[in-house]
Amino acid sequence: MKDKQLYMIGNAHLDPVWLWQWQEGFQETKATFRSALDRMNESEDFIFTSSSAAMYEWVENNDPAMFEEIKQRVKEGRWHIVGGWWIQPDCNIPSGESFVRQGLYGQRYFKEKLGVTAKVGYNVDSFGHNSMLPQILKKSGMDYYVMMRPMPNEKALPGRLFWWQSDDGSKVLTFRIMYEYLSWGKDLEKHVRRCLGEFKEPVNDLMLFYGVGNHGGGPTKENIESIRRLNGEPDLPKLTFATPDNYFHDMENKGLEFPVVHDDLQHHASGCYAAHSGVKQWNRQAENKLAAAEKYSALASWITGQPYPKEFDRAWKNVLFNQFHDILAGTSLEPAYQDAAYLYGEAMAIADRSLNYAVQSISWNIGIEQDVRTTPIVVFNPHAWQSRVNVELEIGGIKPNAVLLDDMGNAVPFQTVKSQAAARGRFRLSFMADLPSMGYRVYKLLKESDSAKPVGEPIKASDLVLENGRFRLEFDPVSGGIKSLYDKKAEHEVFKGEGARPVVIEDTSDTWSHDVLHFNKQVGSFRAKKVHRIEHGPVKSVIRVVSEYGSSKLVQDFAMYPDKDQIDVQVTVDWRESFKMLKLMFPMNVVFSKHTYEIPYGTIEREHNGEEEPGQSWVDFTGLIPDKNTIHGMSLINDAKYSYSIHNKELALTVLRSPIYAHHVPYEPDPDGEYSFMDQGIQRFQYTLLPHEGSWEDAGTVRCAAEINCKPTAIIESFHEGKLPQTDSYATVDKDNIVISAIKKAEDNDDLIIRCYETSKKATTAEIRLPKWDRAVTAAFKPSEIKTFRIPKKADQPIKETNMLEWDEA
C-alpha cells in the first residue's frame, strides 16, 4: 500500500448557525481557531485548512492578537486558506450575482488581511451544486473544488477526482470527499481503513479530511499522534499532512486523464429547496433591491455627483452570511430566522435608502415645467432593455375626470385599484409604463380635465372569464382551478386538465427530507369558496379565487391585461397544516417536451421524472402541440420560490412545506409532543403564467422574470428646473440574449463595473453602450458566459474586461 498516499487534511467544519444561533458559532470559531494554533505550537508538521472569510472578520474584530497569530501562520504556509468565499453557502438558491459577491468579498478580504487568495473552492457540506459554479470559481481565481454532497448513493460520478465543466467550457478539477468531511477526536485507524477500497488505478492518491466538526473543534492531539503511528503500519498507504492545494497540484503534475462531468451535482436534501418560505423570499428580495440600488447609485454618482454609498459592502455581507447552507436551506433552529431577518432587514434598509438617494438625485435634476393641475411621476427602469410594465403607487386627490399623460403629453390608460390605505382620499394608481432601457420617463397625473379624455378599453371580464386578444381564461366555480386557458393565436388549449390546481401532499419527512426525492402522495385539495371579479379597467381585469382546505385559506388574484401576453397571479396563503406540502399543479398539453430551469446565471434541462428540483425564478415546459407539429410552451415565473417538480406532463410549483424546525432524522418526534412547524400563517408572493409559441428564448422569459422580480421605482415629484430631460436612457445592449445583471462602482476607484451574461446557450457578439457618455464595448460571449467590464471615468481611458474580483489577474 505504500505506493498509495492519503493526503491528510486537518480541518474543522464549523457551522456558524445550525442547531445553535450565530452568537454560539461566533464563540466556537474563536475556540476552534485557538485550538488549531495550539496544535501548531505542539507539532511542527501539523497543517490546518480553513475557509469562510466571515469567521475571520469575527476574530479580527474580537481578538486582534489571535488574528495576528493566524496571519503569521498563514505566512509560514501552515494555516491554509481555501474557499475564497464569504461563507460556505447553499449552492442552489442564491442568485448568480450572489455567488460572484461571495468571491468578490471573500477573496479581497483574504488578500487584504492575510496576503493570500484561495485557489481551491470549498463547499464540503452544501446540499448540491449548480452547474454554473465552475465558471464562477475560475473567474474568481479558483481552479479547484472540494465538495461532498451529493454522495455516491445520490449522484453517480465517474470517480472521486474529475473535471467539472460549465456550459462556457470553464473547468475546475474537483474532488468528492469520502464518507465525511470530519472525524471523531480519537484514533483515526477506522477512519483510514474504511477508505482503502476507494483507490482506483491510475489515481493512487486521495484526500482524507479529519478533525472534529460541525460545531467546530478541529484536529485533536490524538488525531495527530494516530496519523504518525498509522504511517508505520505496512498495510496502510502513506499518510501525509497536507493541504488541498498540495493534492491538486500533485495530481495535475502526474499528467493523468480525468473524466469530465458537465452537469449539476444533485440531489441531496431536496426538501431544502422549499423549507422556510420566509428566508427564501427575503433572500430574493434583498438580492433584487441591492441590484437596483447599486445600478442607480453608480449611475447617479456619474450623472449628478451623488456619493456612492459605502454601506453596500455591509449589506452584501449580511446577505452572503444568510446564504450559509443551514440558514438559506431552512434547516436551522427557529430563533436563527429572527437573526436572519435582522440581517436581511439591515441589508434591505441600506438598499432602499441608497436607491432613494440615487433616483431622487436624478429626478430632482429633471426639468419639469410648473403646472399646478398635475402631479409629476418619475418611473425608473432597473433593466437594460425597453420595458413595458404595470406600475402601481399610492396617491391622493384623483378626481373622476383625471387623465394620465406621458412626457410627450399623450394620454396613457390608467385605472384606480384598491388602495392599501383604508381611508378617504387615497387611491392606488395603476398604469402601463413604457420605460427606456436602464433609464426613466416622466408621467403626469392631470387630476381633473375637461379637454383631455381618458383612453383605453378594458378586456372582456366576468366573474369566471377573462379574455383579451391573445387568451381566454376560464375558472371552475367549484374547484377554483383554471378550467381553460386557450391561446387564440396558436389555437391551442394550454392545459390538459385543471390548471393552477392547489394540491396538498403528505410530507412526514424531516426538515431536509433526507433520502426523499419525490413528493407525490396527495392527501387533499383546496375547494373554492368564492370566485369573482374584483378589478376591471383599461389596464387590467382581475378575478379572485378564494379556496380552503381544513383550517387553511388560499387567495389567488389572476390579472389579465389588454396588451400583455402574460397572466400575473398574486397569492396569499394562510397555512395551518403540519407534515404537509402545498403545490400548484399545471398539466401541460404538449408532447415531445423539454423542461428548462433557471439556475444561477444560467439554465439547465432536466428529466420529467417527478423529482423535486431546485430552480431560480422560472421553469419552462415546451413541446409540440399534438396533431399540429408546432412548438408551444409555458414559462412559470415567480418572485419567491425555488422548488419545482415535473412528473410526465404535470408541472408543479412547490409553494411551501411544513416540517418541524430543525428536525433531523433519526430523531423520532413524540406523537403527543408539542413542536414548532414551519410556514404557519400568512405569506404572499406572485407567480406569472407566460404561455408562448416557439421557445422560451423567443418568448422573452428571462426578461419577463427579471421584470417580475425587480420592479420599477416610481417617485412622485414636483416642478423644478433641471438639466436632465423628461426621458433618458443610460445603458443598452444590442442583443436580446445578453443581460446586464450588475452595474456598480469599482471596489478600488470611481470606475464603473458592468457585468453581463449570455442567456440562451449560444455564442454571441454584442455591443454594450453607455449612450450618455458615448462609451461602448463590443464583446464575444461564449454560450452561458459571464463577462465583467471596467469602464474608467476618464473618457480617454479604454474599457477593459476584468475578472469577477475586479483584478486583471486573480
Side-chain angles (χ1 to χ4, degrees):
M1 292 292 288
K2 293 303 179 186
D3 62 336
K4 297 174 172 58
Q5 184 172 193
L6 282 175
Y7 289 65
M8 303 299 293
I9 310 299
N11 79 108
H13 181 68
L14 174 54
D15 294 328
V17 177
W18 179 26
L19 307 179
W20 45 86
Q21 292 175 258
W22 70 269
Q23 296 90 341
E24 187 172 337
F26 186 108
Q27 194 283 328
E28 184 55 39
T29 296
K30 292 185 294 181
T32 297
F33 283 10
R34 181 70 265 159
S35 175
L37 290 167
D38 290 345
R39 301 293 80 74
M40 288 181 186
N41 292 334
E42 298 160 359
S43 303
E44 293 183 358
D45 51 355
F46 170 68
I47 302 171
F48 185 65
T49 292
S50 181
S51 72
S52 303
M55 299 184 194
Y56 288 82
E57 187 179 69
W58 283 348
V59 174
E60 181 192 12
N61 291 336
N62 201 238
D63 191 341
M66 183 162 64
F67 191 78
E68 287 301 315
E69 283 187 71
I70 293 170
K71 194 172 180 179
Q72 180 58 37
R73 293 302 191 183
V74 169
K75 189 175 180 180
E76 294 171 3
R78 295 185 60 199
W79 186 296
H80 189 68
I81 300 297
V82 293
W85 284 1
W86 195 247
I87 207 76
Q88 290 187 37
D90 181 280
C91 289
N92 287 313
I93 295 169
S95 68
E97 188 59 23
S98 287
F99 286 108
V100 173
R101 300 309 175 95
Q102 288 283 353
L104 178 72
Y105 289 105
Q107 291 281 54
R108 292 183 77 97
Y109 179 88
F110 287 132
K111 184 67 173 177
E112 177 189 352
K113 303 295 184 177
L114 300 176
V116 298
T117 56
K119 303 301 181 188
V120 176
Y122 190 87
N123 291 298
V124 299
D125 195 23
S126 299
F127 310 147
H129 309 258
N130 78 81
S131 63
M132 289 297 291
L133 287 184
Q135 181 182 175
I136 294 171
L137 290 163
K138 289 287 285 188
K139 292 185 176 181
S140 302
M142 287 172 274
D143 298 321
Y144 313 105
Y145 195 54
V146 178
M147 46 74 68
M148 187 180 75
R149 312 181 196 278
M151 302 180 90
N153 63 307
E154 296 165 325
K155 172 74 173 179
L157 292 172
R160 288 285 172 189
L161 189 62
F162 57 93
W163 289 108
W164 188 26
Q165 181 176 317
S166 291
D167 288 337
D168 72 314
S170 298
K171 291 192 297 186
V172 289
L173 192 57
T174 300
F175 182 83
R176 177 159 68 178
I177 292 173
M178 302 175 290
Y179 296 101
E180 295 174 273
Y181 48 70
L182 51 74
S183 66
W184 40 88
K186 304 297 183 181
D187 187 282
L188 296 178
E189 184 167 357
K190 290 182 181 179
H191 191 48
V192 169
R193 288 193 179 276
R194 67 181 177 179
C195 298
L196 298 184
E198 295 286 338
F199 289 99
K200 306 289 184 184
E201 293 283 354
V203 179
N204 286 322
D205 304 273
L206 297 168
M207 283 191 283
L208 184 59
F209 289 72
Y210 73 96
V212 179
N214 287 343
H215 197 271
T220 64
K221 294 179 182 179
E222 194 166 346
N223 286 165
I224 295 168
E225 290 166 0
S226 68
I227 290 171
R228 296 194 183 105
R229 178 184 66 78
L230 293 169
N231 227 347
E233 296 289 333
D235 62 337
L236 292 179
K238 180 181 178 183
L239 275 57
T240 306
F241 292 107
T243 70
D245 280 50
N246 299 149
Y247 176 75
F248 285 117
H249 291 160
D250 289 351
M251 292 301 99
E252 282 194 305
N253 289 338
K254 287 179 181 290
L256 301 173
E257 291 288 331
F258 301 111
V260 176
V261 174
H262 184 183
D263 196 5
D264 267 355
L265 303 180
Q266 311 292 3
H267 296 88
H268 178 82
S270 58
C272 293
Y273 313 148
H276 203 293
S277 294
V279 76
K280 306 286 198 293
Q281 186 169 51
W282 304 333
N283 182 73
R284 183 84 64 86
Q285 290 170 341
E287 289 172 335
N288 284 290
K289 282 179 182 289
L290 281 168
E294 281 186 334
K295 287 174 181 175
Y296 274 104
S297 295
L299 293 170
S301 71
W302 277 25
I303 297 164
T304 68
Q306 175 70 31
Y308 190 84
K310 297 178 180 178
E311 297 175 295
F312 279 137
D313 65 340
R314 181 71 273 149
W316 267 112
K317 288 175 180 178
N318 285 4
V319 172
L320 299 178
F321 183 84
N322 276 341
Q323 289 173 347
F324 179 71
H325 54 267
D326 278 312
I327 301 175
L328 190 52
T331 56
S332 292
L333 76 173
E334 187 173 11
Y337 291 99
Q338 185 64 63
D339 297 335
Y342 296 154
L343 289 183
Y344 277 125
E346 183 182 34
M348 287 191 267
I350 290 169
D352 273 344
R353 185 165 57 245
S354 301
L355 179 60
N356 185 62
Y357 274 127
V359 296
Q360 293 223 30
S361 75
I362 294 172
S363 68
W364 191 246
N365 282 278
I366 298 172
I368 303 176
E369 68 280 6
Q370 183 167 346
D371 184 344
V372 295
R373 300 173 302 159
T374 67
T375 299
I377 302 167
V378 188
V379 185
F380 290 84
N381 179 13
H383 306 295
W385 57 81
Q386 293 182 3
S387 184
R388 180 170 173 78
V389 289
N390 185 210
V391 172
E392 294 189 355
L393 73 160
E394 296 288 317
I395 197 166
I398 298 179
K399 304 296 183 182
N401 56 344
V403 177
L404 183 67
L405 307 173
D406 67 13
D407 59 303
M408 302 301 292
N410 301 311
V412 176
F414 79 97
Q415 70 192 72
T416 56
V417 296
K418 185 179 179 182
S419 171
Q420 293 174 339
R424 291 181 178 179
R426 294 298 293 178
F427 303 88
R428 189 162 182 82
L429 181 69
S430 178
F431 64 99
M432 282 291 174
D434 287 296
L435 302 176
S437 177
M438 200 67 234
Y440 63 83
R441 185 180 301 278
V442 175
Y443 291 85
K444 294 157 190 171
L445 180 65
L446 188 59
K447 295 180 182 177
E448 49 186 336
S449 171
D450 295 326
S451 56
K453 300 298 181 184
V455 295
E457 293 294 329
I459 64 171
K460 298 176 184 178
S462 65
D463 281 342
L464 293 176
V465 177
L466 298 172
E467 184 174 357
N468 63 12
R470 177 67 186 272
F471 300 120
R472 185 181 187 277
L473 177 66
E474 182 179 357
F475 295 90
D476 185 306
V478 176
S479 69
I482 295 175
K483 183 177 180 180
S484 169
L485 173 54
Y486 186 68
D487 184 334
K488 298 193 288 186
K489 183 180 177 185
E491 298 181 329
H492 174 60
E493 194 68 59
V494 176
F495 298 134
K496 191 174 185 177
E498 195 171 279
R501 179 167 55 96
V503 170
V504 181
I505 305 290
E506 181 182 86
D507 177 15
T508 57
S509 60
D510 68 358
T511 312
W512 288 254
S513 299
H514 281 109
D515 299 321
V516 178
L517 297 176
H518 304 86
F519 300 90
N520 52 19
K521 185 178 179 181
Q522 182 175 337
V523 293
S525 59
F526 281 75
R527 304 297 287 176
K529 291 296 179 182
K530 192 172 186 181
V531 183
H532 63 126
R533 192 185 74 187
I534 61 167
E535 304 285 359
H536 187 51
V539 177
K540 65 179 180 178
S541 295
V542 181
I543 288 178
R544 172 169 291 170
V545 178
V546 181
S547 54
E548 293 179 352
Y549 167 81
S551 300
S552 298
K553 183 178 178 181
L554 175 67
V555 179
Q556 298 190 80
D557 292 346
F558 293 83
M560 184 181 283
Y561 311 92
D563 56 355
K564 283 183 78 71
D565 293 342
Q566 68 190 60
I567 297 155
D568 293 337
V569 190
Q570 298 290 337
V571 182
T572 302
V573 185
D574 187 358
W575 186 249
R576 304 291 172 178
E577 316 302 322
S578 57
F579 293 124
K580 294 183 179 69
M581 170 185 281
L582 174 61
K583 290 193 176 198
L584 290 171
M585 314 295 283
F586 302 89
M588 302 301 298
N589 187 26
V590 291
V591 295
F592 296 107
S593 59
K594 66 176 181 178
H595 324 99
T596 307
Y597 294 73
E598 183 191 26
I599 61 174
Y601 272 152
T603 59
I604 192 169
E605 291 180 14
R606 296 188 176 123
E607 301 85 355
H608 63 176
N609 56 17
E611 290 187 6
E612 205 72 9
E613 300 283 5
Q616 295 273 299
S617 63
W618 62 268
V619 61
D620 181 83
F621 193 115
T622 293
L624 289 179
I625 297 176
D627 303 324
K628 286 191 177 181
N629 210 39
T630 55
I631 297 173
H632 198 278
M634 187 187 78
S635 297
L636 175 62
I637 304 166
N638 80 85
D639 67 356
K641 306 298 177 182
Y642 296 88
S643 193
Y644 308 88
S645 63
I646 299 174
H647 186 235
N648 297 330
K649 292 183 174 61
E650 192 156 53
L651 165 64
L653 171 67
T654 302
V655 175
L656 54 81
R657 52 187 300 261
S658 46
I660 298 171
Y661 273 94
H663 170 210
H664 195 298
V665 293
Y667 175 85
E668 291 284 346
D670 181 350
D672 298 321
E674 293 291 331
Y675 296 97
S676 186
F677 291 87
M678 285 189 180
D679 278 7
Q680 301 298 295
I682 294 174
Q683 59 170 279
R684 297 179 175 88
F685 70 98
Q686 176 184 334
Y687 71 88
T688 291
L689 307 178
L690 183 66
H692 56 80
E693 292 183 295
S695 69
W696 61 264
E697 294 94 332
D698 299 331
T701 294
V702 171
R703 289 185 171 187
C704 184
E707 290 169 352
I708 288 162
N709 279 272
C710 193
K711 297 184 186 298
T713 299
I715 298 292
I716 296 176
E717 257 297 349
S718 55
F719 319 113
H720 38 65
E721 295 181 357
K723 61 184 179 181
L724 299 179
Q726 291 193 8
T727 184
D728 216 345
S729 171
Y730 297 118
T732 63
V733 187
D734 68 347
K735 296 294 192 300
D736 289 349
N737 61 315
I738 304 298
V739 171
I740 294 178
S741 53
I743 303 175
K744 62 184 286 291
K745 190 179 86 68
E747 295 295 308
D748 49 10
N749 59 24
D750 289 331
D751 294 350
L752 286 188
I753 297 293
I754 293 183
R755 190 151 21 257
C756 309
Y757 71 106
E758 194 283 318
T759 63
S760 298
K761 293 192 180 182
K762 62 182 182 182
T764 302
T765 298
E767 183 183 61
I768 298 101
R769 291 190 58 83
L770 302 178
K772 297 301 291 183
W773 298 280
D774 196 26
R775 306 300 298 276
V777 59
T778 300
F781 289 77
K782 298 175 185 176
S784 301
E785 187 175 9
I786 310 159
K787 283 184 176 289
T788 305
F789 302 99
R790 179 184 286 271
I791 297 91
K793 195 168 188 180
K794 294 181 180 179
D796 59 341
Q797 294 182 356
I799 297 174
K800 292 183 178 180
E801 185 175 353
T802 185
N803 65 13
M804 292 174 178
L805 307 180
E806 301 175 19
W807 297 333
D808 290 337
E809 293 184 6

